[in-house]
Amino acid sequence: MPEDRDEKLMRAALAEARKGVGKVSPNPAVGAVLVQRSRIIATGYHRAVGLPHAEVECLTAAGNRSLREATLYVTLEPCSTTGRTPPCTEAIVRAGIRRVVIGALDVNPAHAGRAVRQLKAAGLQVASGVLAEECARLNEAFNRWIVSGEPFVIAKCGMSLDGRLTRPPDDPRWLTSAAARRDGRRLRAEVDAILIGAETLRKDDPRLTTRGIRGARQPWRVVVSRSGPLPPGARIFTDRFADRTLIYRKKSLRAVLKDLGRKQVTSVLIEGGGEILGEAFDAHLVDKVQFYLAPLFTGGPVLTVAGKGAGRSAEGARIREIRYERIGVDLRVTGYPRWGAEKA
């Protein structure tokens, strides 16, 4: 069936919202478009924490024109309380807009549906749930954090067809292509923190940066160490982003994630090594996977996921909403794990 008008215009608002992904945490990415007489007359998105929200930016862009016949499309239910900025619901009512179309409702139980009620009470027409799933997925990390206080965890790695993270010790070449590695840095640019184990730091001396991604901010770099000293000359301790590095010693991964959540880290990208990935899967801490599968066998010494594993196949993780996409010569696999012991 052809897409209806509200869905088409909500997609325009989603396109605006995506401009803020990776730039507004711990706030959600939100986009808005203002429509009058079937024409988009203004757009806006949330650009950074402390700056106007998407709705206010959109209304400001509309200038002084009358909005009595206008419809505002916004990807997330407008804020209805005072935070770093005044409530967007007040600005919407003052603007004299006739109708508001909302994508996803606020997942915070204290706020869910509150803006809808306020706008309706002020005499506006309100529709909600338009492309709700797509609008919610855009802020999957924020949604988990705002409800649970814990970050959304993505497990990411480049691996060979025989399930290895490395080539043999005498072969230091990358497993994945340059295209796949750049794609991985784009993912880094969308998260609040990148996490590795101490052995990965000692062996690889990774930079864990978003180099080459225009406009990207540098996420926190987190190292989990259980024993032994860390190399003081490592790049994450000496480069220009050294103050964006956190060290956790003798802490479980679950405890580390809880502390990061308290620090307003809404999303964590676990990049390895195999022991840390194994711990994450064993403890059912992974919300999403993004693996890059290189077309080679290596026989390397490091397994992709080196945890204890499931006791029975029925208890193992199944990936739902799985997607496959070719990136260079590699295959990118993304999806959401659900463990057999969890309810569907």
Side-chain angles (χ1 to χ4, degrees), residues 69-303:
E69 298 302 316
T71 298
L72 177 70
Y73 290 81
V74 59
T75 56
L76 180 65
E77 182 178 7
C79 66
S80 54
T81 58
T82 300
R84 293 183 178 90
T85 59
C88 290
T89 49
E90 294 181 0
I92 293 170
V93 172
R94 285 198 306 270
I97 291 170
R98 178 176 62 89
R99 181 172 181 252
V100 177
V101 180
I102 298 168
L105 292 180
D106 193 329
V107 299
N108 188 333
H111 300 156
R114 181 173 175 172
V116 173
R117 294 189 294 272
Q118 288 183 358
L119 294 172
K120 285 183 176 180
L124 282 72
Q125 300 174 29
V126 181
S128 62
V130 177
L131 298 183
E133 186 174 342
E134 292 181 46
C135 292
R137 178 58 54 80
L138 183 72
N139 288 303
E140 58 190 2
F142 170 82
N143 291 343
R144 171 164 171 73
W145 175 76
I146 201 68
V147 172
S148 70
E150 298 180 6
F152 185 86
V153 176
I154 306 170
K156 174 249 179 183
C157 71
M159 61 182 289
S160 63
L161 288 173
D162 55 344
R164 311 293 171 149
L165 286 178
T166 63
R167 294 175 183 264
D170 62 348
D171 188 346
R173 290 178 296 167
W174 293 98
L175 287 180
T176 54
S177 64
R181 297 197 299 276
R182 178 175 174 80
D183 190 73
R185 290 196 295 275
R186 290 194 190 97
L187 179 59
R188 287 177 178 175
E190 296 179 1
V191 301
D192 292 343
I194 306 163
L195 185 148
I196 61 171
E199 279 305 299
T200 296
L201 178 66
R202 295 184 185 109
K203 292 179 179 179
D204 299 341
D205 191 17
R207 285 180 278 183
L208 305 180
T209 64
T210 58
R211 57 193 181 280
I213 308 303
R214 178 178 292 183
R217 62 175 183 171
Q218 175 59 45
W220 288 102
R221 300 178 295 190
V222 180
V223 181
V224 178
S225 177
R226 305 288 162 70
S227 63
L230 299 175
R235 288 185 284 197
I236 63 171
F237 299 139
T238 57
D239 67 10
R240 63 192 179 99
F241 301 118
D243 61 347
R244 298 287 290 172
T245 300
L246 297 172
I247 307 299
Y248 287 88
R249 297 182 186 276
K250 298 183 179 181
K251 299 282 188 182
S252 70
L253 184 55
R254 186 180 295 276
V256 170
L257 292 172
K258 284 183 178 293
D259 188 67
L260 290 173
R262 288 190 287 268
K263 289 180 166 63
Q264 296 192 324
V265 170
T266 68
S267 55
V268 173
L269 180 64
I270 299 180
E271 291 209 10
E275 294 293 334
I276 287 291
L277 285 169
E279 182 180 350
F281 278 99
D282 283 347
H284 298 190
L285 297 174
V286 177
D287 298 297
K288 185 176 183 179
V289 298
Q290 185 154 313
F291 282 14
Y292 297 86
L293 190 60
L296 74 163
F297 293 85
T298 72
V302 182
L303 294 173

Side-chain angles (χ1 to χ4, degrees), residues 41-91:
I41 59 173
T43 63
Y45 71 96
H46 187 34
R47 295 174 181 270
V49 173
L51 293 183
H53 290 181
E55 303 92 322
V56 173
E57 185 174 269
C58 191
L59 293 171
T60 301
N64 296 322
R65 71 182 77 195
S66 172
L67 300 178
R68 285 182 298 175
E69 298 302 316
T71 298
L72 177 70
Y73 290 81
V74 59
T75 56
L76 180 65
E77 182 178 7
C79 66
S80 54
T81 58
T82 300
R84 293 183 178 90
T85 59
C88 290
T89 49
E90 294 181 0

